[in-house]
Amino acid sequence: TQLLEQSPQFLSIQEGENLTVYCNSSSVFSSLQWYRQEPGEGPVLLVTVVTGGEVKKLKRLTFQFGDARKDSSLHITAAQPGDTGLYLCAGGSYNNNDMRFGAGTRLTVKP
Amino acid sequence: KAGVTQTPRYLIKTRGQQVTLSCSPISGHRSVSWYQQTPGQGLQFLFEYFSETQRNKGNFPGRFSGRQFSNSRSEMNVSTLELGDSALYLCASSLAGPRGTSYGYTFGSGTRLTVV
């Protein structure tokens, strides 16, 4: 059982479309991170959010941390083929320093 | 600056053998974490080391062990390999902080272990 539930599991869209992926949990996190992973490589950190209600923007990507610090969303505007990859969310605990990961959303953006 | 280096990139082992994987973190990063990634289970936390001490451990059997050296380099060992140990093993380094602070990870490219 994943501590963090990500949805959808798979998403296939056309270039130029918008999309939102979700990361939900019943646990409260000290911080939440989003990563993107491409085949054959390790995940790459996109953003860290630490404050409930926080919104961060990274070019066409918008990240939001829920008010209760239990959930997060990632919104991509005008998706491009280069956005294709596995998007992972990871939650930090108040009691230790390790991060627990969701199963990921596999995004495919078709040209 | 150099990234996180994991060696080897690929490894094929036979059931019952043991294996040692190596990770060199980013210079200045004293925390090293190890994860196992499989298609069915995603990324599962193995353990985290800081200043040569294991600070956290995930729910893996004792066949999985690790250590960290004074230069922050880390190794993980899996003994008596099973078919189910086939996975991508990822090492991540980060700045260290007090409990409850989670700095971003920088991951290596991983070691792809296949057990036959």
Side-chain angles (χ1 to χ4, degrees), chain B residues 41-110:
Chain B
Q41 296 295 318
L43 272 109
Q44 300 291 315
F45 173 71
L46 281 156
F47 25 67
E48 185 238 356
Y49 286 88
F50 172 69
S51 290
E52 303 178 63
T53 300
Q54 186 182 90
R55 290 202 296 191
N56 299 305
K57 189 177 191 303
N59 296 323
F60 277 82
R63 300 185 297 109
F64 292 81
S65 63
R67 60 179 175 169
Q68 187 180 33
F69 302 95
S70 58
N71 62 357
S72 294
R73 189 177 71 85
S74 178
E75 290 181 346
M76 68 162 282
N77 184 275
V78 188
S79 62
T80 321
L81 284 165
E82 300 176 0
L83 295 179
D85 296 333
S86 295
L88 180 67
Y89 289 87
L90 291 161
C91 164
S93 78
S94 67
L95 293 168
R99 283 186 179 274
T101 59
S102 299
Y103 296 97
Y105 283 161
T106 301
F107 281 90
S109 297

Side-chain angles (χ1 to χ4, degrees), chain A residues 12-80:
Chain A
S12 181
I13 61 172
Q14 292 294 135
E15 182 175 3
E17 292 183 2
N18 301 332
L19 67 114
T20 302
V21 298
Y22 300 91
C23 175
N24 296 294
S25 176
S26 58
S27 301
V28 177
F29 295 106
S30 60
S31 67
L32 197 136
Q33 297 168 2
W34 285 92
Y35 293 80
R36 187 176 81 194
Q37 185 178 22
E38 298 187 24
E41 297 297 326
V44 175
L45 178 66
L46 297 174
V47 77
T48 299
V49 285
V50 296
T51 305
E54 182 176 2
V55 176
K56 279 192 174 179
K57 292 192 175 184
L58 183 66
K59 296 183 180 178
R60 295 176 294 101
L61 278 60
T62 301
F63 305 86
Q64 184 161 10
F65 199 12
D67 292 340
R69 310 168 70 96
K70 294 182 179 181
D71 56 86
S72 181
S73 64
L74 158 59
H75 181 80
I76 301 179
T77 304
Q80 299 176 359

